[in-house]
Amino acid sequence: MKYLLLICTDDTVTVDDPAELDAQPWVDEMDGRGARLMGDRVRPSEDVTTVRVREGSLLLTDGPFADTKEHMAGFDVIECADLDEAVEIASKHPMARFGMIEVWPFWTE
Amino acid sequence: MAVLDGVSEAVAAAYAEEWGRIVASLIRFTGDWDLAEECAQDAFARAVERWPRDGVPRRPGAWLTTTARNRALDRLRRARTEAKAVQEVAGLADRAPSGAPTGEETEVDGDGALPDDRLRLIFTCCHPALVPEARVALTLRSLAGLSTAEIAHAFLVSESTMAQRLVRAKNKIRHARIPFRVPSAAQLPERTAAVLSVLYLLFNEGYGASAGAVPVRRELTAEAVRLTRLLAGLLPDDTEVRGLLALMLLHDARRAARVDAAGELVPLEAQDRSLWDRDGIAEGLSVLEDALLRRRPGPYQVQAAVAACHASASDAADTDWPQIALLYRELARWSPGPVVELNRAVAVAMAEGAEHGLALVEGLVSAGELAGYFPLYATRADLLRRLGRWGGAADAYREALASAPTEAERRYLARRLAEAEAEAEREAEQGRGAG
């Protein structure tokens, strides 16, 4: 079963030691377990462009669709047995402590 | 005719006893919640048709389980054949139906927990990834076998709203792949808490409703007790499961005395204690004692201890109110909140005098956290009445009446209001006479 983990920031949480944000140990552990298929960081919302095509015209908007304080900082694609394992994997990511992680199941069938 | 009656009773009894077990075992067997429910329903329909002719089988549960299982096998085989034809065309390997448990999952749960299907089912229904309302509804549907209409009625929502809630929850279980199992020992404490809160909600739905004359809710109480008993049997070291079971048993034992012949709510101090179920109280006390001996206290055990104080008192005057006041102080450490404080105020009023209780209640009123909460106004009115402050009591009863949730409570308060108004009037006249 594949899940997309959206790694999101939360501006209300303060980080005392930036070293705690380092996701590399988590990446190494999950790669070692064969659970992480891919993943990366993304640039902040200032650098995002939203693309729409309406009645044949291309519309570009500066920024993400939803303008919220919280935004996506990265993503990972994992493969594991079920939601409990996905939650266990997500809960170990440092951003679970300083931000939040959305667990999106992939479409099956 | 007698034969027919016997058969319908047997089917009804089997439904109450076996529904949850059959559905739970079919979910494990097929991994498909809708298929499990449909096949269980088919089995009961077949029983209604066959038992009058062939006689009630010696073990109705086994008969129903086998019938439901065969039906599921049939349907899966047919679906598999269709799927296989498609897969062969697409060149895909033959795979188990989506969501079906793999071999090792069905054998033992992690850390050697007992693999009882109903226990798996309630933990799945109460998975924290589901919204709390859906957890209760799903538990009622799949374990207690209540219809969607009955559940909608119990939660005062429309049938279509409830149907949507159930479909959403089942879809999330399937699509996000919420596993059908008892969680591992590491997760068990946090997950058990969610299960206990759903069971307590179920119980309160049934218990609080005895004044509302909704027949379905009595079943909820019985089902909550049955499931908690089952959980207690399967988690022998969990003292809070025992605490909750004791709490339910002790409350349930007072049920017959809570409403009088006219359907009026009878307050605890006025209840006819000869109507209390002595066996239920004895069992509740022994379950609680068994839990307390293990010395791992928790909020359900403390609440059960309060219920035990009431249940052990031979009459209202004999109640150990100082002990109850202490227990509420203890409960506030586990689950602090204004409702616990209000209960403590009532106990303090009984133990130390109404004016001490009233001081705590006035504190809660000015804090404003319980604005609109009916028992706050009813308690304040009652304490003012007991202090003979009739004018204030009458005002407080009017305020309580405005927020009373049931007809029985409104009638009770209206009687008290009339009494307080008469007393206030009498006082005023005396005052005029004296002046």
Side-chain angles (χ1 to χ4, degrees):
Chain A
M1 181 76 184
K2 280 188 194 141
Y3 297 88
L4 171 69
L5 304 186
L6 285 188
I7 317 296
C8 303
T9 62
D10 179 351
D11 287 353
T12 64
V13 180
T14 52
V15 186
D16 294 329
D17 179 7
E20 290 194 68
L21 288 175
D22 181 13
Q24 197 55 48
W26 179 86
V27 168
D28 293 341
E29 183 191 340
M30 297 314 157
D31 282 351
R33 250 165 81 165
R36 183 175 169 275
L37 303 180
M38 65 175 302
D40 221 325
R41 291 181 66 185
V42 294
R43 297 283 313 164
S45 56
E46 299 96 273
D47 302 331
V48 173
T49 306
T50 301
V51 177
R52 264 172 279 215
V53 175
R54 295 289 181 270
E55 290 161 13
S57 307
L58 174 65
L59 302 170
L60 296 187
T61 322
D62 179 29
F65 158 68
D67 192 18
T68 57
K69 273 190 181 166
E70 301 79 19
H71 62 264
M72 183 171 88
F75 70 95
D76 289 277
V77 176
I78 59 168
E79 176 141 41
C80 57
D82 52 44
L83 184 65
D84 282 355
E85 194 183 352
V87 167
E88 181 251 324
I89 290 169
S91 69
K92 286 184 169 166
H93 194 287
M95 283 300 283
R97 272 170 292 150
F98 302 107
M100 54 202 146
I101 296 178
E102 292 177 1
V103 179
W104 292 71
F106 272 45
W107 196 282
T108 50
E109 285 153 37
Chain B
M1 197 61 202
V3 175
L4 261 181
D5 283 347
V7 168
S8 47
E9 269 167 31
V11 174
Y15 190 85
E17 295 266 310
E18 307 287 348
W19 171 267
R21 210 175 47 73
I22 295 169
V23 169
S25 95
L26 284 178
I27 289 174
R28 179 165 62 75
F29 183 54
T30 65
D32 184 329
W33 288 57
D34 291 326
L35 181 71
E37 277 182 27
E38 282 160 26
C39 293
Q41 249 149 16
D42 279 355
F44 281 99
R46 199 159 295 189
V48 169
E49 190 187 297
R50 296 273 296 273
W51 293 3
R53 200 178 66 212
D54 303 348
V56 177
R58 205 166 49 82
R59 293 168 55 219
W63 188 97
L64 287 160
T65 306
T66 310
T67 307
R69 218 167 234 256
N70 287 342
R71 181 95 183 100
L73 261 179
D74 252 19
R75 300 220 354 214
L76 278 179
R77 220 173 268 139
R78 213 173 307 148
R80 185 84 56 99
T81 318
E82 285 164 19
K84 210 166 184 174
V86 175
Q87 280 165 350
E88 271 163 12
V89 172
L92 296 170
D94 188 14
R95 292 180 55 194
S98 133
T102 60
E104 64 267 33
E105 271 175 1
T106 61
E107 295 305 318
V108 202
D109 280 305
D111 308 292
L114 278 162
D116 179 278
D117 287 335
R118 278 175 298 180
L119 196 61
R120 290 176 215 263
L121 184 53
I122 189 159
F123 273 101
T124 308
C125 291
C126 298
H127 197 282
L130 300 171
V131 292
E133 312 88 79
R135 292 179 208 159
V136 186
L138 208 54
T139 304
L140 285 173
R141 177 76 202 110
S142 60
L143 260 169
L146 297 199
S147 71
T148 306
E150 286 172 318
I151 303 168
H153 188 72
F155 289 93
L156 308 173
V157 298
S158 74
E159 195 176 338
S160 66
T161 302
M162 186 49 73
Q164 273 169 9
R165 197 178 284 174
L166 285 165
V167 167
R168 257 194 85 193
K170 281 193 238 175
N171 279 342
K172 177 153 190 192
I173 289 171
R174 183 160 87 237
H175 295 139
R177 196 173 291 180
I178 290 176
F180 185 68
R181 69 163 168 252
V182 177
S184 67
Q187 292 170 319
L188 206 52
E190 65 199 67
R191 297 280 297 276
T192 303
V195 171
L196 292 186
S197 73
V198 162
L199 290 174
Y200 193 32
L201 267 172
L202 279 193
F203 181 85
N204 282 331
E205 272 299 314
Y207 195 67
S210 45
V214 183
V216 98
R217 300 198 176 180
R218 181 96 170 255
E219 265 176 56
L220 302 191
T221 313
E223 185 58 17
V225 171
R226 196 184 68 79
L227 289 174
T228 310
R229 216 187 271 281
L230 178 76
L231 203 58
L234 292 162
L235 297 172
D237 294 326
D238 194 309
T239 53
E240 278 292 89
V241 178
R242 282 182 162 55
L244 180 59
L245 178 59
L247 177 60
M248 289 176 177
L249 290 169
L250 290 168
H251 274 307
D252 209 29
R254 299 204 298 257
R255 194 182 50 217
R258 290 179 73 228
V259 178
D260 66 17
E264 301 285 326
L265 201 65
V266 184
L268 185 58
E269 72 264 20
Q271 285 178 13
D272 175 358
R273 291 174 189 232
S274 70
L275 294 176
W276 288 3
D277 167 14
R278 290 289 139 199
D279 292 344
I281 290 174
E283 194 197 352
L285 292 175
S286 112
V287 170
L288 176 62
E289 194 180 292
D290 177 51
L292 293 174
L293 280 173
R294 295 164 199 236
R295 306 207 170 278
R296 282 196 304 275
Y300 290 118
Q301 291 169 81
V302 177
Q303 282 170 270
V306 171
C309 284
H310 289 303
S312 320
S314 56
D315 58 61
D318 187 44
T319 308
D320 189 350
W321 287 106
Q323 172 73 12
I324 294 175
L326 280 176
L327 286 166
Y328 276 119
R329 177 162 291 188
E330 174 70 12
L331 185 60
R333 290 197 326 151
W334 291 97
S335 36
V339 173
V340 174
E341 273 309 298
L342 179 61
N343 286 319
R344 188 168 79 85
V346 171
V348 166
M350 297 302 289
E352 297 169 28
E355 66 275 26
H356 290 98
L358 185 62
L360 293 173
V361 170
E362 297 295 5
L364 284 167
V365 170
S366 54
E369 278 179 276
L370 287 178
Y373 183 65
F374 159 70
L376 175 69
Y377 307 118
T379 304
R380 183 160 174 271
D382 185 57
L383 292 178
L384 286 165
R385 175 184 67 85
R386 277 196 255 167
L387 288 166
R389 287 159 57 176
W390 297 110
D395 288 343
Y397 276 117
R398 264 178 231 114
E399 202 175 10
L401 257 171
S403 61
T406 70
E407 200 47 52
E409 276 152 345
R410 275 190 288 277
R411 280 197 298 269
Y412 171 79
L413 292 168
R415 277 204 311 275
R416 289 293 200 194
L417 172 60
E419 181 191 313
E421 279 172 339
E423 288 290 340
E425 180 70 17
R426 202 171 52 80
E427 264 181 5
E429 266 169 31
Q430 274 175 356
R432 277 195 292 276

